[in-house]
Amino acid sequence: MTFSTPSPEQWRESAVKALKDRPIEGLLHLDTDHLVVRPLYADATGIQPLFAPRPSDAEGRAWDLRTQVEGDDPEAVNAAVLTDLEGGAASVILSGAVLADSEPLAEALANVALELAAVGLDAGLDGPEAANALAVVAKGSPRAKLMFHMDPLSAYAAAGGSPLPIAMHLSQAAATADRHSGAYPDASFFLASGRAVHEAGGSAGQELGFTAAAVAAYAKAAVDAGLSAERALRGTVLGVSVDAEYFDSLAKVRALRLIWASITKAFGLDMPAAIEARSSRRMLAARDPWPNLLRLTAAGFAGAVGGADAVVLDGFTRASGRPDAFARRQARNTQIVLMEEAHLGRVDDPAAGSWFLDARTRDLAEAGWAEFQRIEREGGVVASLKGGAIQMRVAASRQTLKTAFDKGHSQIIGVTKFVDPDVRPAPVEPSALAPAAAITDSCAPLLPLRFAAAFEEAGQ
C-alpha cells in the first residue's frame, strides 16, 4: 500500500487548524545557543544529508567500553581494574593517589596487559607527572596503548587557577608528550575536552567551541616542543559530554567529528577523530539516585549512536560520592546491554538520513565553530579564560537552563516530577578530599553544578 507524502504546506494547514487561535510560531523552540528547533524537518525543507561515522568495525565491538576507577589504595584499585576488564570493559581511566608515583601505579596495574587494554589517566594539573609514572610502568611494552589524557586547560578552568602559570603547565604537558612519543608510538597524549564548560551549565555550542580551542592550544604547544603537527593531532583525544537529552547529545558527538575535520584540514591533514564521550554529572540526582540509571542509559545510547569511539558511564550514585562496586558494575553492564543486546553498533552512523538529526548536527557544528572563532579572536582559550569571556557566556547559558527548570518548562524525573517519597538507599565508597593546590595564576572558575541540587535542598 502506498501512502501519500504531505507537503510542508499541507502540514502547516493541519497544524494551524489544530492550534486553533494560537500562533504556529509557538511550535518553534530557541535553545541556549539561540538555535531554532523547528517542529517539522523534511526533504522539502532543504536539509542536507550528513555522514559522520566512527572509523571502527561495526561487525565487532563498535566502540570502546571504557570505565573509570578511582582510588588511593593500589590493591583496591587493582582489584577494581581487573574486575572491570574481566567483566567486559576494554579500557580504564585511573584517578586518585595511585597516580602519584610509578610504584603505586605499577601495583594498581598488576596483571594488566597494557598492549591489549588501554589505560588512561585523569590527573588534572599533575598530568605530566602521572604520565611519566605510567611510562615507567609500561617500560618494555612499546606497543602499550597508553592514554596520558593530559588536559591542563580543563583543570585550570574548573579550579579557577593553577600552581604555576598555565602557559608553563601547557609547556610541561607538551614536553612530556614529546619525551614519550618515540617510545610509545600508539600512545595518545592530550584530552581536548569541553566537559568543564558543560558541567558548569554551558551550551552545546560553547562546549564544542572550547574543545576546538583546546585542540588548537595543545597542537601549538606540542609543535613548539618539537612534535610534528600530525603526531600532535594524532595524539589528541576529543572529550565530549553526553546526557539524557540524547538527540542533542548524539548530534553533538557527530558535530564534533565535523569540527575535527575542519581543524585537521587547516593543518593540511586528513585523519579520523578519536572521541571519548563521558556521561554528564550535572544531570544526576542525589536524593533519589535510581532514576539516574535511566539517564545514564540514555547518555550511553547517545554516545553509541552518535559515533563516539569510547564511552564512559559514571556510577548512578556519583552525585552522592564515589561509586561502589555495585554502581560500577551497573555502569559497565549498561554499556554491555547497549552493545551486545541492543546491537547499537551494528550500523555505521545510524543517525544519518534523519532530517532532524542531520540539521541539528550541522547547526551544532556551526555553533561550535562560531564559539571557537570567538575564543580565538579573544586571544585563544587561555586569554579568554583569564579575561572571563568564556565564563560570562557559560553563566548566561546556565541561567537560561536553570530558569527552564524553575518555571517547569524542563523536568527532572524523581526530583521535580514523579517524586518517590520513600527512596531506597544506595551506598557509596568513602573518598578523601584532595588538598587544594596553591593558585598563583588565576581565572574565574567554571564551577560544576547539578540542576537537581536546588530542588533537593528545598525539599529537605
Side-chain angles (χ1 to χ4, degrees), residues 117 121 177 194 200 235 241 291 318 359 405:
L121 308 173
S241 300
R318 166 63 65 185
F405 286 113

Side-chain angles (χ1 to χ4, degrees), residues 9 144 162-163 167 178 231 244 249 288 338-340 361 420 448 456:
E9 291 75 17
S162 53
D178 181 56
R231 183 66 182 103
S249 290
D288 185 1
L338 293 172
M339 181 183 293
E340 300 185 1
T361 297
D420 187 348
E456 291 170 336

